[in-house]
Amino acid sequence: MARALTQLELLQELAPVAEDNVNRHLKHARNWNPHDYIPWDEGQNFAALGGSDYDPEQSQLDEVAKAAMITNLLTEDNLPSYHRVIADNFSMDSAWGHWVGRWTAEENRHGIVMRDYLVVTRGVDPVALEEARMIHMTNGYDPVLVAADRMEDLQNEYGDLDEVGLLHSVAYVTFQELATRVSHRNTGKACNDPIADRMLQRIAADENLHMVFYRNICGAGMDLSPDQTLRAVTDIVTNFQMPGMGMPNFRRHGVLMAKHGIYDLRQHYEEVVMPVLRKWNVFERTDFGPEGEKTREELAAFLEQLDKDATRFEEMRDRALAREAAKREKQAS
C-alpha cells in the first residue's frame, strides 16, 4: 500500500496547483461593494439616538426567511474560526498564504452586507441577533474536529490530527462552500424582496468560486494520493455537518429551512455531494489500492442510504405540508 503523505509533503506537492488556482480565482472573481446592495433610504435611528427600537411588525420577512437569514449570517460571522482552521492547515507561505488572506477578505464582505441589510430594513431583531453572534463566535467552530469527534477510530488510524488536517479541511470546505451557495440562493428567493435576492445571488456567486478552488485542490490530492484523499473525503461526507451547528436555535431554524426548501437532505445529496464526487470521478477511477477500494465501497453504501433518507424525508414533509394546508383551508371556510 502506498505511504500516506505528511502534511508538509502535501503542501509542497500541491503548491503549484494552489498557485494556478489562486491565479484562476483572481481572474474570475468580481470585486463588489457591500454598500451597493443596501436600501439605505429605508433606515432610521434606534432609540439610543432618538428613534424607535425594533418592532416585529416592521419586518417584511416571514418566519422562514428570518430563520434562513439569521442562520446564514451567523455562519458567516464565525469567519475567525474558519480562518484559523484554514491558516493552520494551509500555512501562510506562498500561494497558500495569499489564498487564506484573499478568501478571508471576500468572506468578510458576506457578513457585512447581510447584517447591514437586516439592520437597515429591520428584518430581524438586532439585539437578539447580536446576542446570538456573541454566543456563536465565543463558542467558535472547527469543522475538522467536529467531524473527528464522530469518527471513533480516526485517532487510531491516523495518529496526530494535524497529519490529516489539509485533506480533511479541503474536503470539508469543498462541500460546505457549495452547500452555502445553495442555501444563500434559496434564501434570496424566500425573502420575497428583489434587493435581498440580488444581494444573496452575489454572495452565492462568491461561494461558488471558493468551492471551485477547494474542489480543485482536493481533486489534485486525489490524483496525488488517491487512497489517502478518498479516506478524507469519505470521513467528511459521512460525518458532514453545516458550520452553523451549535449556534442558538440552529436545530429549529434548520428544520424550518429544510421544510420549506431552503436546504434539505435531497438538495444536500443531489446538488452538493454527488456533483462534487462526479467531478472527481470517484466511482470511475481505477487508481485506488485495496484500502481505497474498501473506502469507496463504504462511501457508496453511505450514499445509497442517504438517497433513501432523502426520499423518506420528502415523503414526511409532503404529508406535513398537506396537513397544514388542509387545516388552513378548514379554518378559512
Side-chain angles (χ1 to χ4, degrees):
M1 185 181 80
R3 177 181 65 85
L5 300 180
T6 66
Q7 180 93 338
L8 179 58
E9 288 171 331
L10 287 167
L11 286 169
Q12 292 173 336
E13 291 292 332
L14 294 174
V17 181
E19 183 174 357
D20 288 346
N21 278 277
V22 166
N23 290 332
R24 179 192 183 281
H25 180 83
L26 295 175
K27 179 180 178 181
H28 290 92
R30 171 185 163 190
N31 286 319
W32 56 278
N33 300 305
H35 66 261
D36 288 331
Y37 291 78
I38 307 301
W40 297 105
D41 59 350
E42 294 183 22
Q44 56 180 300
N45 287 343
F46 289 90
L49 292 178
S52 60
D53 279 335
Y54 173 80
D55 186 314
E57 294 298 319
Q58 296 170 328
S59 178
Q60 299 301 307
L61 303 177
D62 64 20
E63 291 307 305
V64 176
K66 286 180 183 178
M69 285 291 283
I70 291 170
T71 299
N72 289 358
L73 174 53
L74 292 180
T75 298
E76 300 288 354
D77 278 335
N78 227 0
L79 179 61
S81 286
Y82 317 144
H83 171 90
R84 173 181 52 78
V85 173
I86 295 298
D88 285 349
N89 288 302
F90 278 17
S91 88
M92 294 302 293
D93 298 326
S94 62
W96 294 114
H98 188 86
W99 172 256
V100 171
R102 174 75 187 203
W103 173 81
T104 303
E106 290 185 6
E107 287 286 349
N108 194 39
R109 282 195 293 225
H110 303 166
I112 291 170
V113 72
M114 291 178 69
R115 174 166 284 96
D116 284 350
Y117 172 83
L118 289 175
V119 172
V120 168
T121 64
R122 300 196 174 218
V124 302
D125 183 348
V127 174
L129 183 64
E130 177 62 7
E131 291 172 348
R133 185 188 72 85
M134 290 294 293
I135 292 171
H136 192 44
M137 290 188 68
T138 300
N139 290 338
Y141 188 72
D142 187 332
V144 175
L145 292 181
V146 168
D149 284 342
R150 302 175 64 195
M151 302 173 204
E152 295 180 0
D153 61 345
L154 188 60
Q155 285 280 16
N156 293 331
E157 185 172 352
Y158 292 110
D160 188 352
L161 277 173
D162 287 344
E163 290 301 308
V164 296
L166 177 63
L167 292 177
H168 282 78
S169 290
V170 293
Y172 177 80
V173 287
T174 299
F175 295 108
Q176 180 267 320
E177 293 279 9
L178 187 49
T180 305
R181 172 200 170 193
V182 172
S183 182
H184 280 312
R185 285 189 65 86
N186 290 332
T187 297
K189 298 172 185 176
C191 286
N192 196 29
D193 174 8
I195 294 176
D197 192 24
R198 177 170 167 261
M199 172 187 71
L200 289 164
Q201 284 188 40
R202 179 62 260 160
I203 293 174
D206 281 1
E207 304 288 16
N208 192 64
L209 282 177
H210 296 163
M211 179 276 295
V212 170
F213 177 90
Y214 294 121
R215 187 188 66 191
N216 289 349
I217 298 295
C218 199
M222 192 83 72
D223 293 337
L224 177 67
S225 185
D227 286 19
Q228 184 181 7
T229 305
L230 184 63
R231 181 68 261 168
V233 167
T234 301
D235 288 341
I236 293 301
V237 170
T238 57
N239 295 279
F240 186 83
Q241 295 186 34
M242 290 293 278
M245 188 71 180
M247 72 174 58
N249 299 312
F250 178 75
R251 186 172 297 278
R252 183 172 69 85
H253 288 173
V255 169
L256 267 178
M257 292 168 69
K259 184 177 179 181
H260 294 276
I262 304 295
Y263 194 85
D264 60 30
L265 206 56
R266 176 58 62 191
Q267 290 161 325
H268 181 68
Y269 174 74
E270 291 189 352
E271 299 181 35
V272 175
V273 175
M274 294 309 298
V276 171
L277 296 180
R278 282 195 291 268
K279 185 69 176 181
W280 292 330
N281 294 319
V282 167
F283 294 104
E284 291 75 36
R285 302 179 73 100
T286 59
D287 54 354
F288 292 126
E291 285 300 314
E293 293 291 350
K294 182 179 177 181
T295 302
R296 180 158 58 179
E297 291 174 6
E298 176 188 340
L299 179 60
F302 175 83
L303 294 173
E304 182 178 358
Q305 185 59 50
L306 182 61
D307 186 20
K308 292 178 181 177
D309 290 344
T311 299
R312 188 157 45 245
F313 168 78
E314 289 173 314
E315 293 170 349
M316 292 173 59
R317 178 177 60 188
D318 290 346
R319 289 195 296 267
L321 291 174
R323 286 194 299 268
E324 291 178 8
K327 184 178 180 180
R328 288 194 299 269
E329 185 177 344
K330 183 177 180 180
Q331 291 173 341
S333 60

